[in-house]
């Protein structure tokens, strides 16, 4: 019988901390695992840190401490192209998504 290594989870966040440049500590000690095929709703009041967390999942923000891996790939410069192929983010304000005046 052949055995293959188990596939890594879709998302693994460990001990994530992030402070904005003004010193505001938005995340501290965040752990989250999302398994393959799992659907997760992230709930919390305004200012809880949902957007800050999500911006770490494809490297828009870089962790102050801790780590984020997507399908086993550490989010960082080395794997950025592949990470961004896998993790798309729709911004809350559609004006942030439209950065050119025409589709072309
Ligand atoms: N650019 C920023 N500079 C400083 N603090 C920020 C910035 N963006 C968000 N914050 C602060 O970080 C915390 C988390 O914000 P955010 O991740 O936007 O929360 P949510 O998406 O859950 O509403 C809040 O206290 C917010 O005021
Ligand atoms: Mg938000």
């Amino acid at each position: 019988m052949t055995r293959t290594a188990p596939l890594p989870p879709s998302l693994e966040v460990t001990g994530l901390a992030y402070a904005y440049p003004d010193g505001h500590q938005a995340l501290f000690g965040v752990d989250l695992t999302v398994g393959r095929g799992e659907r997760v709703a992230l709930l919390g009041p305004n200012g809880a840190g949902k957007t800050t967390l999500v911006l770490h999942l494809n490297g828009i923000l870089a962790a102050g401490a801790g780590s984020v891996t997507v399908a086993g790939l550490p989010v960082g410069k080395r794997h950025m192209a592949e990470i961004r192929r896998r993790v798309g983010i729709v911004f809350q304000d559609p004006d942030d998504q439209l950065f050119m005046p025409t589709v072309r």
Side-chain angles (χ1 to χ4, degrees):
M1 194 171 88
T2 55
R3 279 176 186 273
T4 50
L7 292 166
S10 298
L11 178 65
E12 190 142 51
V13 177
T14 308
L16 181 64
Y18 181 79
Y20 281 98
D22 69 358
H24 186 97
Q25 187 81 45
L27 301 177
F28 190 79
V30 176
D31 298 312
L32 169 70
T33 302
V34 178
R36 298 173 74 84
E38 195 177 1
R39 291 182 190 202
V40 172
L42 181 61
L43 306 178
N46 265 350
K50 305 178 296 295
T51 296
T52 306
L53 170 60
V54 167
L55 294 177
H56 282 79
L57 307 186
N58 73 351
I60 294 175
L61 292 179
S67 67
V68 180
T69 64
V70 171
L73 297 173
V75 175
K77 271 196 187 132
R78 196 168 155 204
H79 301 291
M80 203 57 90
E82 181 57 26
I83 297 282
R84 288 188 173 165
R85 264 192 288 277
R86 290 167 183 250
V87 181
I89 295 175
V90 178
F91 295 124
Q92 183 164 350
D93 180 353
D95 285 346
D96 291 341
Q97 203 87 17
L98 302 172
F99 52 88
M100 292 300 259
T102 69
V103 172
R104 189 148 77 109

